[in-house]
């Protein structure tokens, strides 16, 4: 009995050392840099939109966002466009594969209206594959993928803002 505990403890300790030695760590949230304080994200009222997700992520990372455009040091405006494209169909004409694209253009102006960050373009592409029989599952999966794409896009925008804003 006691021998089994030592073996188990030794095994867990060796797994812990292997995992920590390879550099693995949980993703977690990035810490916002101070240059993002005073930023106002336009059209962020809809929490499901890219602007809403971006605002939520900025707050979660510790950025002190402005409550209104009038109080803001910088104003971020962005667009969000989703497009679907059928990649393949079955013998009955039902779509089996889709391509989902998320395009976003964003720019930042300071409180005087001067360009602080010129317009930039980002685009993400995902492919979705279906069996052709589960319509409800297809819709739910597409909704989840759209949410993941917004989160990935918001992360990319935050990284660009941190790197390029003064």
């Amino acid at each position: 009995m006691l021998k089994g505990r030592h073996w188990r403890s030794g095994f867990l300790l060796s797994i812990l050392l292997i995992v920590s030695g390879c550099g693995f760590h949980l993703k977690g949230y990035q810490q916002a840099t101070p240059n993002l304080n005073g930023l106002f994200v336009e059209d962020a009222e809809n929490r499901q939109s890219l602007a809403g997700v971006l605002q939520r992520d900025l707050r979660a990372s510790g950025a002190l966002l402005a409550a209104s455009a009038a109080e803001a040091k910088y104003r971020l405006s962005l667009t969000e466009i989703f497009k679907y494209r059928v990649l393949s169909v079955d013998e009955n004409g039902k779509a089996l594969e889709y391509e989902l694209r998320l395009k976003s253009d964003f720019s930042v102006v300071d409180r005087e209206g001067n360009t602080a960050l010129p317009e930039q373009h980002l685009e993400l592409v995902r492919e979705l594959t279906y069996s052709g029989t589960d319509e409800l599952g297809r819709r739910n999966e597409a909704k989840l993928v759209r949410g993941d794409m917004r989160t990935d896009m918001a992360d990319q925008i935050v990284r660009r803002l941190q790197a390029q804003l003064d």
Side-chain angles (χ1 to χ4, degrees), residues 62-113:
L64 301 172
L65 299 180
S68 68
E71 301 170 4
K73 179 179 168 187
Y74 296 112
R75 286 181 309 163
L76 169 69
S77 61
L78 57 96
T79 61
E80 171 187 9
I81 299 171
F82 271 106
K83 289 188 176 179
Y84 292 90
R85 188 173 73 134
V86 176
L87 296 177
S88 66
V89 294
D90 65 6
E91 65 275 1
N92 298 322
K94 253 186 152 174
L96 296 177
E97 283 184 291
Y98 288 92
E99 179 182 81
L100 187 57
R101 286 183 181 269
L102 171 58
K103 296 179 181 182
S104 179
D105 294 317
F106 66 95
S107 62
V108 177
V109 296
D110 63 12
R111 68 179 60 170
E112 288 85 27

Side-chain angles (χ1 to χ4, degrees), residues 23-155:
F24 172 80
H25 59 87
L26 296 173
K27 180 179 175 187
Y29 278 99
Q30 289 184 337
Q31 193 72 11
T33 55
N35 61 345
L36 298 180
N37 291 339
L39 182 70
F40 179 75
V41 181
E42 295 180 348
D43 301 324
E45 296 82 21
N46 180 0
R47 299 182 61 81
Q48 303 299 320
S49 69
L50 177 60
V53 171
L54 180 63
Q55 185 180 46
R56 181 194 67 208
D57 287 356
L58 286 168
R59 284 193 173 133
S61 65
L64 301 172
L65 299 180
S68 68
E71 301 170 4
K73 179 179 168 187
Y74 296 112
R75 286 181 309 163
L76 169 69
S77 61
L78 57 96
T79 61
E80 171 187 9
I81 299 171
F82 271 106
K83 289 188 176 179
Y84 292 90
R85 188 173 73 134
V86 176
L87 296 177
S88 66
V89 294
D90 65 6
E91 65 275 1
N92 298 322
K94 253 186 152 174
L96 296 177
E97 283 184 291
Y98 288 92
E99 179 182 81
L100 187 57
R101 286 183 181 269
L102 171 58
K103 296 179 181 182
S104 179
D105 294 317
F106 66 95
S107 62
V108 177
V109 296
D110 63 12
R111 68 179 60 170
E112 288 85 27
N114 301 318
T115 302
L117 187 66
E119 185 168 294
Q120 300 192 16
H121 176 79
L122 290 173
E123 184 171 346
L124 295 176
V125 180
R126 300 281 194 277
E127 291 182 11
L128 301 171
T129 305
Y130 303 107
S131 65
T133 58
D134 187 9
E135 183 65 25
L136 184 60
R138 182 186 69 80
R139 289 182 189 175
N140 288 337
E141 184 178 357
K143 185 177 178 182
L144 289 173
V145 170
R146 282 195 310 268
D148 287 345
M149 291 175 77
R150 282 188 181 110
T151 301
D152 290 347
M153 182 74 75
D155 289 345

